[in-house]
Amino acid sequence: MSDQSAFDTDVWTLTRFVIETGRQAKGATGELTQLINAMLTAIKAISSAVRKAGLAHLQGLAGSVNVTGDDVKKLDVLSNDLVINMLQASYSTCCMVSEENKELIITPKDKRGKYVVCFDPLDGSSNIDCLASIGTIFAIYKRVSEGEPIEKDALQQGKNIVCAGYTLYGSATLVAISTGAGLNFFMLDPAIGEFILTERNVKIKPKGKIYSLNEGYAKYFHPSINEYLKHKKYPEDGSSPYGARYVGSMVSDIHRTIAYGGIFMYPANEKSPKGKLRLLYECNPIAFLIEQAGGIATTGTQRILDVQPEALHQRVPFVVGSPDDVNEYLSFVKKYQ
């Protein structure tokens, strides 16, 4: 007979965690709990689809290009549909912003609730074909208007986020989530189909040993960035140089940065003068989580969570990571101002 002693009979699942945190909030109606649980159902379905992608021929191009110019993958389309349908069926959203949809997605009147969700259903999808890790990113806000949902409901500063998270479909499926009281990691246990709490109140190291960016664009970088990189590779004080790591799937690079410390950068350059990553559904949620872990998230001139969005698919320069590392980078920026 197999040994059952290692089986936890009082396990902290993400569902339980969300219910518990919801109960502690003043004036809670349970609507946010419903919404997060619907998001988790979509995430489990995407995880299953990602794992089967090669077998189900889901990894090819769907033959169209999304609003921000990326070729749309079949998995992208599927993930987008899953998230939209699950969230609308939760009766807790009034509108949504997706990387895959040009316009604001308005929830049908009979299914509306008080929340707004901005999400990237499958981030790093250009990595699907080479089986590198990909992810889902989301941010939840309370609506600010009355009546019909409008873009203003989605164009909120990141500091108004009530819950944000990312999923990493890596060697395991992991959810990193925060409702503003610290960052927690949950791992999907496929045997029971639940996310299990694996790390509570995660903190990023004050300083790391890794820098992460696409150095292939060095030709187009501002001199401050190239000088900072030179300082990381050839330290003047004789200390060890930093290691370089870059997957090109933001969720992967961010998760490693939180786990090991260091700095992740997607700065503006001559080709992308406003940066490349999108504020609403990439930078804001990640910045919120990085700050919850004690890190810093900046455009180089401004805290990410203070940026006032002006368009649904607005791009911003993005530099995040360990506080000492980001502050050191900012000192190089100041030199050139």
Side-chain angles (χ1 to χ4, degrees), residues 123 127 204 208-218 221 225-226 228-230 232-233 241-269 277 286 290 296 298 317-322 325-326 328-329:
D123 187 73
N127 275 327
I204 194 168
K209 296 176 184 169
I210 295 169
Y211 72 91
S212 179
L213 84 168
N214 187 344
E215 260 189 284
Y217 292 135
F221 286 156
I225 292 159
N226 284 324
Y228 171 74
L229 293 174
K230 187 181 170 193
K232 292 289 96 186
K233 292 189 275 193
Y242 270 37
R245 299 281 185 278
Y246 187 70
V247 180
S249 264
M250 185 176 64
V251 174
S252 276
D253 286 312
I254 290 296
H255 188 66
R256 183 198 57 247
T257 303
I258 293 173
Y260 300 160
I263 187 166
F264 169 80
M265 314 166 72
Y266 208 119
N269 60 51
L277 299 174
I286 298 298
I290 289 271
I296 296 177
T298 175
F318 193 59
V319 177
V320 298
S322 297
D325 288 310
V326 177
E328 185 184 34
Y329 161 75

Side-chain angles (χ1 to χ4, degrees), residues 46 48-64 70-79 122 124-132 134:
I46 294 168
S48 169
V50 165
R51 305 284 173 223
K52 289 188 195 135
L55 304 170
H57 307 295
L58 280 168
Q59 83 270 44
L61 294 180
S64 57
D70 304 330
D71 285 329
V72 180
K73 306 271 174 182
K74 292 179 193 171
L75 257 179
D76 283 23
V77 180
L78 177 105
S79 308
L122 212 57
S125 50
S126 60
N127 275 327
I128 294 169
D129 292 355
C130 67
L131 297 192
I134 47 186

Side-chain angles (χ1 to χ4, degrees), residues 50-156:
V50 165
R51 305 284 173 223
K52 289 188 195 135
L55 304 170
H57 307 295
L58 280 168
Q59 83 270 44
L61 294 180
S64 57
V65 169
N66 74 5
V67 293
T68 49
D70 304 330
D71 285 329
V72 180
K73 306 271 174 182
K74 292 179 193 171
L75 257 179
D76 283 23
V77 180
L78 177 105
S79 308
N80 194 42
D81 290 349
L82 270 168
V83 175
I84 293 170
N85 292 337
M86 288 297 166
L87 294 188
Q88 288 187 342
S90 75
Y91 288 81
S92 47
T93 64
C94 67
C95 61
M96 294 173 243
V97 177
S98 165
E99 195 219 13
E100 301 294 337
N101 297 60
K102 192 174 182 178
E103 309 293 335
L104 190 69
I105 304 158
I106 309 273
T107 303
K109 235 185 182 131
D110 59 327
K111 290 185 177 174
R112 270 181 213 162
K114 61 173 179 266
Y115 292 102
V116 179
V117 188
C118 302
F119 63 91
D120 185 344
L122 212 57
D123 187 73
S125 50
S126 60
N127 275 327
I128 294 169
D129 292 355
C130 67
L131 297 192
S133 294
I134 47 186
T136 298
I137 311 169
F138 65 92
I140 303 172
Y141 299 84
K142 263 193 182 140
R143 65 174 301 182
V144 289
S145 73
E146 301 286 326
E148 281 298 300
I150 48 173
E151 277 196 8
K152 186 180 146 192
D153 289 311
L155 297 176
Q156 296 189 54

